[in-house]
C-alpha cells in the first residue's frame, strides 16, 4: 500500500512539473511574440495613488500605448492609452518599497489621462471583450472606466484621472520622444 501511495505522489509531482513547465514556456513565448515587433519596453503600471504596482510590457503603436501584464497569457493589451490623451505630469525616483518590487534603475512618471484613455481589453479594431454597460464580457476582461473620472474595474483611473508608469531611463526617453512626435493635429480628435 505504501509503495502505491508513493507512486501516486510521484505521478502527481511529475504532472505538476509538466504543467509548471508548460506555463513558463507559454509566458516566455508570449513575451517573445510581443517583443519581436519592436517598440516594446519593460513597464510597471500603477492605477491610482493607492494601487499596487503591476509589472509588464508597454508597446508603442502609431497612436496608442498598449500595456500588457507580465503574467498574462493572451496577446491582448490589458490597458490601452491613446497617444493624444496621455500627458506626463511629473517624474520621480521610486521609494525604497517601490524599488524593491520594480527593480533597480526604474523611474516613476505620473501621467494625466484624457477623456478616451485607460481602455481595458482589446485595442480598437480587435473586437470587444466587454458586455453591456462596460461590464466584463465572456472572456472576463473589464470594460472602460466610468464617466467623470470614476474608478473602473480593477482600480483603474477613469477618464481625466492619473496613472503611474515605471520605466528605465532609456525607456522613459523613448516614451517622451514618442509623445512629442505625435503628428500635428492628432490631439484635436477625429475629423468631422
Amino acid at each position: 500500500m505504501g509503495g502505491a501511495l508513493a507512486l501516486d505522489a510521484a505521478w502527481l509531482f511529475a504532472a505538476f512539473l509538466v504543467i509548471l513547465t508548460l506555463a513558463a514556456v507559454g509566458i516566455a513565448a508570449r513575451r517573445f511574440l510581443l517583443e519581436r515587433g519592436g517598440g516594446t519596453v519593460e513597464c510597471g503600471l500603477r492605477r491610482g495613488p493607492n494601487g499596487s504596482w503591476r509589472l509588464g510590457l508597454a508597446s508603442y503603436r502609431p497612436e496608442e500605448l498598449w500595456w500588457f501584464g507580465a503574467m498574462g497569457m493572451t496577446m491582448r493589451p490589458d490597458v490601452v492609452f491613446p497617444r493624444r490623451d496621455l500627458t506626463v505630469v511629473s517624474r520621480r525616483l521610486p521609494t525604497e518599497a517601490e524599488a524593491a518590487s520594480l527593480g533597480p534603475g526604474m523611474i516613476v512618471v505620473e501621467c494625466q489621462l484624457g477623456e478616451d484613455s485607460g481602455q481595458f481589453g482589446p485595442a480598437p479594431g480587435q473586437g470587444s471583450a466587454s458586455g453591456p454597460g462596460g461590464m466584463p464580457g465572456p472572456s472576463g476582461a473589464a470594460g472602460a472606466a466610468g464617466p467623470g473620472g470614476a474608478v473602473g474595474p480593477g482600480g483603474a483611473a477613469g477618464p481625466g484621472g492619473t496613472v503611474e508608469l515605471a520605466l528605465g531611463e532609456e525607456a522613459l526617453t523613448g516614451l517622451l520622444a514618442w509623445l512629442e512626435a505625435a503628428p500635428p493635429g492628432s490631439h484635436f480628435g477625429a475629423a468631422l
Side-chain angles (χ1 to χ4, degrees):
M1 169 113 170
L5 183 60
L7 186 60
D8 288 343
W11 278 109
L12 283 175
F13 183 69
F16 172 74
L17 286 179
V18 167
I19 290 170
L20 188 65
T21 302
L22 289 175
V25 167
I27 290 170
R30 175 181 175 258
R31 183 171 176 135
F32 172 78
L33 291 172
L34 289 174
E35 289 182 350
R36 75 177 176 169
T40 305
V41 296
E42 290 185 11
C43 177
L45 172 72
R46 179 162 71 174
R47 302 173 183 148
N50 297 325
S52 60
W53 282 103
R54 292 182 57 205
L55 301 179
L57 298 172
S59 179
Y60 300 112
R61 302 295 178 194
E63 293 302 318
E64 297 167 328
L65 179 69
W66 290 0
W67 187 86
F68 300 88
M71 296 307 228
M73 294 301 284
T74 69
M75 295 300 290
R76 290 181 152 166
D78 293 333
V79 184
V80 175
F81 299 109
R83 176 191 251 179
R84 70 180 180 271
D85 294 333
L86 188 64
T87 305
V88 174
V89 177
S90 65
R91 72 170 105 178
R92 64 178 175 81
L93 293 175
T95 64
E96 287 185 31
E98 289 174 330
S101 63
L102 295 172
M106 299 299 257
I107 299 171
V108 176
V109 291
E110 180 183 355
C111 298
Q112 181 72 33
L113 304 177
E115 289 302 314
D116 296 332
S117 289
Q119 299 176 26
F120 294 90
Q126 286 193 338
S128 175
S130 300
M135 296 306 294
S139 67
V151 174
T162 61
V163 66
E164 289 182 315
L165 302 174
L167 303 156
E169 191 168 338
E170 295 84 9
L172 175 57
T173 302
L175 173 68
L176 296 174
W178 179 78
L179 288 171
E180 291 175 5
S186 66
H187 63 282
F188 294 123
L192 297 177

